[in-house]
Amino acid sequence: MAGTKLTDVIVPELFNPYVINKSMELSALVQSGIVANNSEFDKLASQAAPIINMPFFEDLTGESEQIIEGIDLTDNKITSNKDMACIIRCAKKWSATDLSAALAGTTEINFHI
């Protein structure tokens, strides 16, 4: 008998957006505005490949220029490069029985990461 597998009950097209939305909703970094969601990164991270190409912009360099009437500022190039990133998939599970919850004096146990 084969048994039920994860792929039998979880449809990635339905499950992945829920996980992303819930993570975004509960994250203190996202709530603070330090981190923002990017659909391109979501697409890259949901790929099956463990290594992906990650394009990025090089740091901006150079000295500032004085603004002088009638003289144009110098155009500077913005350069890009590429790097490789490893997709790390990990998980942690906690569980509690109804009996342990009752003995702890609560009827519900909630964990937020």
XYZ file of all heavy atoms in Angstrom:
857
model
N 0.844 -1.177 0.000
C 0.000 0.000 0.000
C 0.890 1.242 0.000
O 1.800 1.365 0.810
C -0.900 -0.035 1.234
C -1.844 1.119 1.308
S -3.167 0.863 2.485
C -2.348 1.134 4.011
N 0.631 2.152 -0.929
C 1.497 3.314 -1.123
C 1.364 4.344 -0.011
O 2.337 4.963 0.381
C 1.198 3.959 -2.473
N 0.178 4.579 0.499
C -0.015 5.593 1.526
C -0.127 6.977 0.937
O 0.238 7.231 -0.210
N -0.640 7.888 1.721
C -0.805 9.273 1.274
C 0.518 10.003 1.390
O 1.181 9.939 2.424
C -1.873 9.987 2.127
O -3.089 9.249 2.043
C -2.097 11.401 1.641
N 0.896 10.689 0.352
C 2.136 11.468 0.329
C 1.800 12.948 0.372
O 0.667 13.351 0.087
C 2.931 11.160 -0.935
C 3.406 9.733 -1.012
C 4.189 9.506 -2.284
C 4.640 8.066 -2.368
N 5.327 7.785 -3.612
N 2.784 13.753 0.710
C 2.622 15.200 0.771
C 2.100 15.751 -0.550
O 1.239 16.623 -0.576
C 3.960 15.858 1.135
C 3.943 17.333 1.466
C 3.043 17.622 2.648
C 5.348 17.811 1.761
N 2.593 15.202 -1.649
C 2.157 15.686 -2.967
C 0.703 15.348 -3.255
O 0.095 15.940 -4.135
C 3.043 15.102 -4.088
O 3.031 13.680 -3.989
C 4.458 15.630 -3.998
N 0.141 14.400 -2.505
C -1.264 14.053 -2.685
C -2.201 15.081 -2.055
O -3.344 15.214 -2.455
C -1.568 12.681 -2.064
C -0.801 11.559 -2.752
O -0.559 11.673 -3.980
O -0.462 10.588 -2.077
N -1.734 15.765 -1.029
C -2.620 16.669 -0.295
C -2.259 18.146 -0.420
O -3.081 19.006 -0.121
C -2.677 16.295 1.198
C -3.329 14.947 1.381
C -1.302 16.311 1.835
N -1.045 18.461 -0.826
C -0.637 19.867 -0.944
C -0.424 20.204 -2.411
O 0.405 19.606 -3.076
C 0.639 20.166 -0.143
C 0.337 20.005 1.342
C 1.165 21.560 -0.448
C 1.483 20.302 2.254
N -1.192 21.152 -2.876
C -1.040 21.643 -4.242
C -0.209 22.925 -4.145
O -0.673 23.917 -3.577
C -2.419 21.939 -4.881
C -2.248 22.480 -6.285
C -3.283 20.692 -4.861
N 1.053 22.921 -4.645
C 1.924 24.087 -4.471
C 1.303 25.411 -4.932
O 1.505 26.434 -4.299
C 3.157 23.734 -5.311
C 3.162 22.255 -5.357
C 1.713 21.844 -5.359
N 0.524 25.378 -6.000
C -0.071 26.620 -6.504
C -1.026 27.235 -5.490
O -1.237 28.439 -5.460
C -0.816 26.376 -7.822
C 0.080 25.987 -8.983
C 0.469 24.512 -8.977
O -0.143 23.706 -8.246
O 1.423 24.168 -9.690
N -1.615 26.406 -4.630
C -2.538 26.904 -3.607
C -1.838 27.110 -2.264
O -2.127 28.057 -1.547
C -3.701 25.920 -3.422
C -4.537 25.626 -4.663
C -5.565 24.551 -4.353
C -5.223 26.886 -5.162
N -0.926 26.209 -1.925
C -0.280 26.232 -0.616
C 0.776 27.325 -0.492
O 0.826 28.043 0.511
C 0.345 24.863 -0.333
C 0.985 24.754 1.021
C 0.204 24.624 2.156
C 2.366 24.768 1.160
C 0.779 24.505 3.407
C 2.946 24.657 2.407
C 2.161 24.524 3.536
N 1.651 27.472 -1.499
C 2.759 28.425 -1.427
C 2.315 29.864 -1.191
O 2.883 30.537 -0.338
C 3.642 28.324 -2.670
C 4.416 27.023 -2.707
O 4.473 26.289 -1.730
N 5.002 26.725 -3.844
N 1.313 30.380 -1.910
C 0.890 31.759 -1.628
C 0.374 31.941 -0.205
O 0.588 32.980 0.408
C -0.223 32.004 -2.652
C 0.055 31.047 -3.750
C 0.637 29.834 -3.076
N -0.288 30.915 0.348
C -0.780 31.007 1.719
C 0.386 31.147 2.696
O 0.367 31.971 3.591
C -1.616 29.776 2.076
C -2.009 29.741 3.532
C -3.051 30.530 3.999
C -1.307 28.963 4.453
C -3.394 30.521 5.334
C -1.646 28.951 5.780
C -2.695 29.731 6.225
O -3.022 29.732 7.551
N 1.426 30.321 2.512
C 2.587 30.377 3.393
C 3.262 31.736 3.282
O 3.622 32.352 4.274
C 3.583 29.242 3.069
C 4.877 29.411 3.837
C 2.951 27.901 3.381
N 3.433 32.222 2.060
C 4.062 33.530 1.855
C 3.232 34.625 2.505
O 3.751 35.471 3.222
C 4.258 33.798 0.347
C 5.313 32.854 -0.212
C 4.662 35.255 0.100
C 5.362 32.820 -1.730
N 1.925 34.610 2.290
C 1.056 35.642 2.864
C 1.078 35.596 4.378
O 1.126 36.633 5.035
C -0.373 35.478 2.354
C -0.502 35.846 0.895
O 0.354 36.528 0.358
N -1.548 35.376 0.266
N 1.008 34.413 4.983
C 1.007 34.295 6.433
C 2.343 34.749 7.003
O 2.388 35.435 8.016
C 0.712 32.837 6.812
C 0.110 32.671 8.158
C -1.200 33.414 8.257
C -1.951 33.016 9.497
N -3.002 33.948 9.825
N 3.458 34.373 6.350
C 4.774 34.805 6.804
C 4.892 36.326 6.746
O 5.424 36.950 7.656
C 5.873 34.180 5.944
O 5.845 32.790 6.063
N 4.405 36.904 5.675
C 4.473 38.351 5.517
C 3.608 39.050 6.569
O 3.973 40.078 7.109
C 4.024 38.760 4.112
C 4.894 38.213 2.997
S 6.563 38.842 3.028
C 6.296 40.483 2.427
N 2.473 38.461 6.867
C 1.537 39.057 7.822
C 2.106 39.075 9.236
O 1.911 40.031 9.983
C 0.237 38.249 7.794
C -0.812 38.700 8.768
C -2.016 37.771 8.733
O -2.458 37.392 7.640
O -2.501 37.426 9.822
N 2.833 38.035 9.608
C 3.321 37.895 10.977
C 4.734 38.424 11.194
O 5.163 38.546 12.330
C 3.260 36.418 11.392
C 1.867 35.792 11.405
C 1.955 34.307 11.725
C 0.975 36.495 12.406
N 5.468 38.728 10.157
C 6.863 39.134 10.288
C 7.007 40.557 10.823
O 6.482 41.501 10.251
C 7.560 39.029 8.928
O 8.838 39.626 9.005
N 7.757 40.691 11.916
C 8.011 42.017 12.485
C 8.861 42.859 11.534
O 8.690 44.086 11.470
C 8.708 41.880 13.836
N 9.775 42.232 10.783
C 10.590 42.985 9.837
C 9.722 43.584 8.731
O 9.921 44.729 8.333
C 11.666 42.078 9.217
C 12.794 41.662 10.150
C 13.675 40.631 9.475
C 13.608 42.856 10.591
N 8.769 42.817 8.250
C 7.874 43.322 7.199
C 6.967 44.401 7.766
O 6.778 45.446 7.142
C 7.042 42.170 6.581
C 6.002 42.708 5.630
C 7.957 41.196 5.861
N 6.431 44.177 8.949
C 5.541 45.160 9.564
C 6.252 46.482 9.830
O 5.646 47.542 9.768
C 4.956 44.607 10.866
C 3.971 43.477 10.639
C 3.480 42.851 11.928
O 3.865 43.258 13.018
N 2.632 41.855 11.807
N 7.563 46.430 10.091
C 8.318 47.654 10.364
C 8.633 48.446 9.097
O 8.986 49.607 9.169
C 9.630 47.319 11.072
O 10.538 46.699 10.168
N 8.542 47.781 7.927
C 8.862 48.456 6.678
C 10.302 48.252 6.230
O 10.700 48.726 5.174
N 11.107 47.550 7.026
C 12.507 47.298 6.667
C 12.590 46.370 5.466
O 13.431 46.524 4.590
C 13.276 46.694 7.858
C 13.356 47.698 8.992
C 14.662 46.231 7.441
C 13.919 47.129 10.273
N 11.705 45.373 5.417
C 11.691 44.372 4.361
C 10.377 44.485 3.602
O 9.333 44.702 4.203
C 11.822 42.950 4.960
C 11.722 41.895 3.887
C 13.115 42.812 5.736
N 10.443 44.348 2.288
C 9.234 44.404 1.455
C 9.183 43.171 0.561
O 10.214 42.611 0.195
C 9.236 45.673 0.603
N 7.986 42.760 0.209
C 7.788 41.613 -0.659
C 8.130 41.978 -2.104
O 7.888 43.100 -2.537
C 6.337 41.142 -0.567
C 6.129 39.797 -1.206
O 7.039 38.986 -1.267
N 4.936 39.557 -1.684
N 8.713 41.025 -2.826
C 9.058 41.234 -4.216
C 8.644 39.994 -4.987
O 9.146 38.901 -4.714
C 10.563 41.482 -4.347
C 10.990 41.735 -5.766
O 10.835 40.882 -6.634
N 11.542 42.907 -6.008
N 7.749 40.140 -5.945
C 7.221 38.986 -6.668
C 8.303 38.253 -7.460
O 8.227 37.032 -7.641
C 6.078 39.407 -7.594
O 6.534 40.347 -8.546
N 9.325 38.946 -7.914
C 10.412 38.287 -8.651
C 11.190 37.335 -7.738
O 11.526 36.221 -8.130
C 11.359 39.335 -9.258
C 12.446 38.734 -10.129
C 11.934 38.021 -11.380
O 10.837 38.352 -11.868
O 12.639 37.112 -11.859
N 11.459 37.761 -6.507
C 12.142 36.885 -5.563
C 11.254 35.705 -5.168
O 11.732 34.597 -4.980
C 12.594 37.639 -4.319
C 13.775 38.546 -4.570
C 13.784 39.833 -4.086
C 14.874 38.116 -5.286
C 14.865 40.674 -4.315
C 15.959 38.940 -5.532
C 15.951 40.219 -5.037
N 9.948 35.960 -5.032
C 9.014 34.865 -4.738
C 9.077 33.803 -5.829
O 9.100 32.612 -5.550
C 7.575 35.382 -4.626
C 7.361 36.246 -3.400
O 8.210 36.222 -2.493
O 6.329 36.946 -3.366
N 9.134 34.250 -7.078
C 9.192 33.328 -8.211
C 10.495 32.524 -8.183
O 10.496 31.315 -8.373
C 9.055 34.106 -9.519
C 8.932 33.232 -10.755
C 8.649 34.066 -11.982
C 9.970 34.323 -12.676
N 9.850 35.099 -13.895
N 11.610 33.191 -7.906
C 12.903 32.507 -7.850
C 12.938 31.490 -6.708
O 13.401 30.369 -6.876
C 14.031 33.526 -7.670
C 14.345 34.419 -8.864
C 15.336 35.507 -8.460
C 14.891 33.615 -10.024
N 12.428 31.875 -5.552
C 12.493 31.001 -4.382
C 11.576 29.791 -4.488
O 11.800 28.787 -3.825
C 12.150 31.802 -3.129
N 10.558 29.861 -5.319
C 9.626 28.737 -5.438
C 10.055 27.723 -6.494
O 9.369 26.728 -6.700
C 8.214 29.250 -5.738
O 8.173 29.868 -7.003
N 11.181 27.953 -7.141
C 11.678 27.002 -8.138
C 12.167 25.726 -7.455
O 12.545 25.731 -6.294
C 12.841 27.611 -8.926
C 12.461 28.773 -9.789
C 13.674 29.363 -10.503
O 14.764 28.819 -10.450
N 13.471 30.468 -11.178
N 12.156 24.646 -8.195
C 12.610 23.364 -7.656
C 14.131 23.290 -7.539
O 14.655 22.554 -6.717
C 12.102 22.231 -8.533
N 14.842 24.053 -8.354
C 16.318 23.999 -8.356
C 16.873 24.520 -7.029
O 16.398 25.515 -6.506
C 16.861 24.841 -9.505
N 17.909 23.864 -6.490
C 18.475 24.325 -5.215
C 19.398 25.534 -5.356
O 19.715 26.182 -4.385
C 19.260 23.112 -4.716
C 19.618 22.381 -5.970
C 18.494 22.618 -6.942
N 19.829 25.849 -6.576
C 20.717 26.993 -6.813
C 20.115 27.847 -7.923
O 19.673 27.335 -8.952
C 22.132 26.535 -7.206
C 22.753 25.746 -6.046
C 23.009 27.718 -7.586
C 24.115 25.172 -6.344
N 20.088 29.159 -7.714
C 19.524 30.081 -8.700
C 20.495 31.214 -8.970
O 21.356 31.518 -8.149
C 18.168 30.662 -8.227
C 18.327 31.379 -6.885
C 17.117 29.590 -8.149
C 17.110 32.103 -6.430
N 20.387 31.838 -10.133
C 21.168 33.029 -10.462
C 20.469 34.245 -9.889
O 19.263 34.404 -10.040
C 21.318 33.180 -11.978
C 22.216 32.118 -12.563
O 23.227 31.762 -11.980
N 21.829 31.581 -13.705
N 21.224 35.090 -9.205
C 20.671 36.277 -8.566
C 21.360 37.523 -9.126
O 22.497 37.827 -8.775
C 20.901 36.233 -7.055
C 20.127 35.168 -6.340
S 18.374 35.530 -6.241
C 18.363 37.001 -5.275
N 20.682 38.242 -10.002
C 21.272 39.495 -10.495
C 21.214 40.565 -9.400
O 20.353 40.526 -8.528
C 20.364 39.853 -11.667
C 19.064 39.198 -11.354
C 19.381 37.961 -10.576
N 22.158 41.497 -9.436
C 22.147 42.602 -8.475
C 22.844 43.815 -9.073
O 23.605 43.701 -10.030
C 22.814 42.199 -7.155
C 24.287 41.914 -7.269
C 25.232 42.912 -7.031
C 24.742 40.649 -7.605
C 26.592 42.646 -7.141
C 26.096 40.371 -7.711
C 27.024 41.370 -7.476
N 22.556 44.980 -8.519
C 23.222 46.218 -8.931
C 24.461 46.418 -8.077
O 24.442 46.198 -6.870
C 22.299 47.423 -8.776
C 21.174 47.433 -9.766
C 19.881 47.135 -9.369
C 21.405 47.736 -11.097
C 18.841 47.140 -10.288
C 20.382 47.743 -12.021
C 19.087 47.442 -11.607
N 25.553 46.818 -8.719
C 26.787 47.135 -7.991
C 26.547 48.394 -7.150
O 25.665 49.202 -7.438
C 27.931 47.402 -8.985
C 28.298 46.223 -9.859
C 29.175 45.207 -9.159
O 29.565 45.418 -7.987
O 29.480 44.181 -9.795
N 27.361 48.564 -6.108
C 27.258 49.764 -5.277
C 27.519 51.009 -6.112
O 28.353 50.995 -7.024
C 28.273 49.720 -4.131
C 27.934 48.662 -3.103
O 26.774 48.208 -3.059
O 28.834 48.291 -2.333
N 26.808 52.074 -5.789
C 27.041 53.362 -6.455
C 28.304 53.982 -5.873
O 28.511 53.961 -4.662
C 25.848 54.295 -6.254
C 24.511 53.769 -6.779
C 23.399 54.749 -6.446
C 24.576 53.512 -8.275
N 29.158 54.509 -6.745
C 30.421 55.084 -6.289
C 30.612 56.462 -6.919
O 29.873 56.868 -7.807
C 31.611 54.187 -6.690
O 31.636 54.062 -8.113
C 31.509 52.816 -6.059
N 31.646 57.144 -6.493
C 31.991 58.443 -7.067
C 31.705 59.590 -6.109
O 30.984 59.454 -5.129
N 32.290 60.714 -6.442
C 32.127 61.916 -5.626
C 30.931 62.725 -6.117
O 30.599 62.712 -7.307
C 33.400 62.777 -5.710
C 34.644 62.094 -5.180
C 34.558 61.810 -3.691
O 34.025 62.665 -2.949
O 35.013 60.728 -3.274
N 30.305 63.434 -5.205
C 29.194 64.297 -5.599
C 29.734 65.517 -6.361
O 30.914 65.846 -6.288
C 28.421 64.753 -4.371
O 29.258 65.496 -3.505
N 28.859 66.148 -7.120
C 29.258 67.325 -7.902
C 28.472 68.544 -7.417
O 27.352 68.422 -6.934
C 28.942 67.097 -9.385
C 29.688 65.928 -10.010
C 29.280 65.730 -11.462
O 29.336 66.702 -12.238
O 28.903 64.607 -11.809
N 29.087 69.688 -7.570
C 28.395 70.924 -7.231
C 27.399 71.261 -8.331
O 27.651 71.010 -9.516
C 29.380 72.074 -7.079
C 30.257 71.960 -5.865
C 31.121 73.204 -5.698
O 31.209 74.055 -6.578
N 31.765 73.307 -4.556
N 26.272 71.806 -7.936
C 25.281 72.233 -8.916
C 25.593 73.681 -9.272
O 25.549 74.578 -8.421
C 23.853 72.110 -8.341
C 23.572 70.643 -7.993
C 22.834 72.662 -9.318
C 22.263 70.405 -7.294
N 25.954 73.872 -10.533
C 26.308 75.207 -11.020
C 25.393 75.537 -12.184
O 25.241 74.730 -13.116
C 27.796 75.257 -11.459
C 28.696 74.891 -10.276
C 28.147 76.622 -12.019
C 30.157 74.717 -10.627
N 24.790 76.682 -12.140
C 23.846 77.088 -13.188
C 24.517 77.061 -14.560
O 25.628 77.546 -14.747
C 23.342 78.511 -12.904
C 22.246 78.939 -13.816
C 21.682 80.311 -13.456
O 21.984 80.835 -12.366
O 20.945 80.852 -14.272
N 23.842 76.412 -15.522
C 24.335 76.345 -16.881
C 25.297 75.202 -17.149
O 25.728 75.012 -18.290
N 25.676 74.449 -16.119
C 26.596 73.324 -16.310
C 25.858 72.030 -15.931
O 25.315 71.906 -14.837
C 27.866 73.474 -15.446
C 28.626 74.744 -15.860
C 28.764 72.246 -15.567
C 29.859 75.038 -15.044
N 25.846 71.083 -16.869
C 25.163 69.807 -16.632
C 25.991 68.904 -15.724
O 27.225 68.933 -15.754
C 24.910 69.067 -17.953
C 23.886 69.772 -18.821
O 23.027 70.492 -18.266
O 23.949 69.595 -20.052
N 25.300 68.103 -14.946
C 25.966 67.088 -14.137
C 26.456 65.963 -15.045
O 25.904 65.724 -16.115
C 25.010 66.521 -13.090
C 24.527 67.506 -12.022
C 23.465 66.859 -11.145
C 25.690 67.976 -11.163
N 27.476 65.249 -14.628
C 28.029 64.138 -15.392
C 27.151 62.902 -15.239
O 26.757 62.552 -14.131
C 29.454 63.801 -14.897
O 30.248 64.985 -14.917
C 30.095 62.733 -15.746
N 26.839 62.264 -16.382
C 26.102 60.997 -16.335
C 27.053 59.887 -15.911
O 28.131 59.728 -16.477
C 25.523 60.642 -17.708
C 24.373 61.558 -18.100
O 23.654 62.012 -17.199
O 24.209 61.806 -19.304
N 26.649 59.112 -14.915
C 27.436 57.972 -14.447
C 26.659 56.690 -14.710
O 25.438 56.669 -14.627
C 27.732 58.104 -12.947
C 28.632 59.289 -12.658
O 29.823 59.226 -12.887
N 28.047 60.367 -12.157
N 27.381 55.634 -15.028
C 26.739 54.355 -15.302
C 26.345 53.650 -14.004
O 27.034 53.749 -12.994
C 27.678 53.430 -16.081
C 27.911 53.852 -17.500
C 28.750 52.817 -18.212
C 28.918 53.200 -19.672
N 29.600 52.168 -20.434
N 25.242 52.943 -14.080
C 24.845 52.033 -13.011
C 25.154 50.644 -13.543
O 24.649 50.236 -14.584
C 23.352 52.176 -12.677
C 23.060 53.589 -12.171
C 22.928 51.127 -11.659
C 21.604 53.868 -11.935
N 26.026 49.931 -12.842
C 26.450 48.618 -13.330
C 25.763 47.507 -12.536
O 25.337 47.698 -11.400
C 27.971 48.458 -13.226
O 28.370 48.658 -11.871
C 28.681 49.473 -14.109
N 25.652 46.371 -13.159
C 25.046 45.219 -12.503
C 25.985 44.028 -12.615
O 26.965 44.043 -13.350
C 23.692 44.905 -13.127
O 23.854 44.558 -14.483
N 25.651 43.002 -11.878
C 26.444 41.790 -11.888
C 25.516 40.643 -11.539
O 24.320 40.854 -11.350
C 27.586 41.905 -10.879
C 28.791 41.084 -11.283
O 28.663 40.057 -11.935
N 29.964 41.544 -10.879
N 26.046 39.437 -11.466
C 25.205 38.320 -11.062
C 25.939 37.464 -10.054
O 27.168 37.410 -10.025
C 24.756 37.491 -12.263
C 25.858 36.760 -12.986
C 25.287 35.937 -14.123
C 26.423 35.219 -14.838
N 25.945 34.331 -15.878
N 25.160 36.846 -9.226
C 25.689 35.972 -8.197
C 24.831 34.715 -8.188
O 23.816 34.651 -8.870
C 25.621 36.668 -6.840
C 26.639 36.121 -5.849
O 27.244 35.076 -6.136
O 26.823 36.742 -4.791
N 25.233 33.736 -7.437
C 24.427 32.527 -7.295
C 23.949 32.449 -5.856
O 24.665 32.841 -4.928
C 25.241 31.291 -7.654
C 25.653 31.268 -9.114
S 26.593 29.813 -9.535
C 25.287 28.635 -9.722
N 22.722 31.983 -5.682
C 22.159 31.836 -4.350
C 21.659 30.412 -4.175
O 21.180 29.790 -5.112
C 21.016 32.834 -4.155
N 21.772 29.930 -2.973
C 21.289 28.594 -2.628
C 19.930 28.750 -1.948
O 19.773 29.587 -1.055
C 22.290 27.939 -1.681
S 21.765 26.340 -1.089
N 18.952 27.997 -2.382
C 17.642 28.006 -1.728
C 17.698 27.002 -0.590
O 17.960 25.819 -0.799
C 16.519 27.643 -2.712
C 16.434 28.699 -3.809
C 15.197 27.510 -1.991
C 15.424 28.388 -4.881
N 17.493 27.496 0.626
C 17.530 26.636 1.801
C 16.097 26.375 2.238
O 15.358 27.298 2.543
C 18.334 27.295 2.935
C 19.761 27.551 2.470
C 18.285 26.438 4.194
C 20.587 28.361 3.439
N 15.741 25.128 2.242
C 14.402 24.749 2.672
C 14.549 23.997 3.996
O 15.205 22.969 4.060
C 13.733 23.865 1.630
C 13.450 24.617 0.355
C 12.788 23.696 -0.673
N 12.414 24.416 -1.859
C 13.201 24.594 -2.920
N 14.408 24.091 -2.927
N 12.780 25.266 -3.972
N 13.951 24.536 5.033
C 14.004 23.873 6.326
C 12.689 24.092 7.046
O 11.908 24.976 6.691
C 15.176 24.368 7.166
S 15.136 26.145 7.447
N 12.436 23.306 8.049
C 11.184 23.412 8.785
C 11.396 22.957 10.213
O 12.368 22.278 10.536
C 10.108 22.558 8.105
N 10.474 23.354 11.065
C 10.464 22.926 12.458
C 9.014 22.711 12.843
O 8.149 23.505 12.483
C 11.102 23.995 13.345
C 11.116 23.682 14.803
C 12.111 22.606 15.119
C 12.174 22.377 16.627
N 13.036 21.274 16.937
N 8.730 21.654 13.563
C 7.356 21.343 13.931
C 7.260 21.201 15.439
O 8.120 20.603 16.073
C 6.925 20.038 13.253
C 5.530 19.622 13.604
C 5.173 18.303 12.954
C 3.801 17.857 13.420
N 3.418 16.587 12.854
N 6.187 21.770 16.005
C 5.860 21.589 17.401
C 4.471 20.989 17.473
O 3.639 21.244 16.612
C 5.844 22.927 18.144
C 7.174 23.558 18.301
C 8.057 23.386 19.327
C 7.793 24.499 17.412
N 9.174 24.148 19.126
C 9.036 24.847 17.953
C 7.417 25.084 16.204
C 9.897 25.739 17.351
C 8.276 25.972 15.603
C 9.501 26.295 16.165
N 4.211 20.220 18.476
C 2.868 19.678 18.635
C 2.527 19.597 20.111
O 3.403 19.607 20.972
C 2.764 18.294 17.987
O 3.581 17.378 18.678
N 1.238 19.554 20.384
C 0.755 19.404 21.751
C -0.549 18.634 21.700
O -1.360 18.821 20.794
C 0.545 20.773 22.383
N -0.733 17.784 22.669
C -1.982 17.037 22.746
C -3.003 17.839 23.544
O -2.650 18.783 24.271
C -1.759 15.677 23.428
O -1.330 15.923 24.776
C -0.719 14.855 22.685
N -4.262 17.460 23.416
C -5.313 18.111 24.201
C -5.046 17.948 25.694
O -5.256 18.874 26.477
C -6.685 17.528 23.850
C -7.108 17.886 22.435
O -6.569 18.850 21.869
O -8.007 17.199 21.900
N -4.548 16.781 26.081
C -4.277 16.518 27.491
C -3.183 17.436 28.018
O -3.322 18.026 29.092
C -3.882 15.053 27.693
C -3.516 14.648 29.124
C -4.695 14.909 30.072
C -3.094 13.184 29.173
N -2.089 17.598 27.265
C -1.011 18.474 27.736
C -1.468 19.927 27.810
O -1.071 20.651 28.718
C 0.229 18.338 26.849
O -0.041 18.772 25.537
N -2.325 20.332 26.890
C -2.865 21.694 26.943
C -3.738 21.871 28.172
O -3.666 22.893 28.866
C -3.655 21.994 25.676
N -4.563 20.869 28.461
C -5.432 20.956 29.639
C -4.611 20.993 30.921
O -4.905 21.757 31.843
C -6.399 19.775 29.642
N -3.569 20.175 31.010
C -2.717 20.161 32.196
C -1.932 21.460 32.348
O -1.595 21.862 33.457
C -1.760 18.965 32.143
C -2.426 17.589 32.258
C -1.398 16.488 32.052
C -3.127 17.439 33.605
N -1.650 22.128 31.224
C -0.938 23.407 31.273
C -1.882 24.549 31.624
O -1.457 25.678 31.824
C -0.261 23.685 29.936
N -3.188 24.258 31.661
C -4.165 25.277 32.042
C -4.655 26.117 30.892
O -5.140 27.224 31.085
N -4.528 25.631 29.675
C -5.007 26.366 28.514
C -5.744 25.410 27.593
O -5.523 24.214 27.621
C -3.854 27.051 27.753
O -4.406 27.781 26.666
C -2.856 26.053 27.228
N -6.628 25.955 26.807
C -7.345 25.111 25.844
C -6.788 25.286 24.447
O -7.166 24.585 23.535
C -8.845 25.453 25.841
O -9.001 26.839 25.521
C -9.474 25.151 27.178
N -5.897 26.254 24.266
C -5.350 26.519 22.942
C -3.900 26.945 23.075
O -3.554 27.721 23.947
C -6.149 27.645 22.266
C -5.750 27.894 20.848
C -6.641 28.954 20.213
O -7.839 29.032 20.493
O -6.087 29.733 19.421
N -3.056 26.421 22.218
C -1.637 26.790 22.224
C -1.331 27.438 20.876
O -1.537 26.835 19.838
C -0.733 25.562 22.445
C -1.025 24.956 23.820
C 0.733 25.952 22.340
C -0.268 23.689 24.105
N -0.848 28.670 20.898
C -0.495 29.393 19.677
C 0.960 29.795 19.729
O 1.415 30.339 20.729
C -1.336 30.656 19.512
C -2.788 30.334 19.249
O -3.075 29.479 18.424
N -3.688 31.009 19.938
N 1.681 29.531 18.672
C 3.065 29.958 18.536
C 3.171 30.877 17.337
O 2.632 30.576 16.289
C 4.001 28.750 18.328
C 4.047 27.826 19.513
C 3.332 26.648 19.506
C 4.798 28.145 20.626
C 3.370 25.794 20.583
C 4.855 27.299 21.709
C 4.144 26.112 21.695
N 3.855 31.999 17.484
C 4.093 32.914 16.361
C 5.585 33.134 16.242
O 6.241 33.463 17.220
C 3.391 34.248 16.575
C 1.907 34.124 16.614
N 1.152 33.938 15.481
C 1.040 34.115 17.652
C -0.120 33.860 15.811
N -0.215 33.954 17.133
N 6.100 32.945 15.061
C 7.527 33.153 14.823
C 7.679 34.433 14.034
O 7.003 34.687 13.099
C 8.135 31.958 14.058
C 8.003 30.716 14.930
C 9.588 32.226 13.729
C 8.480 29.455 14.250
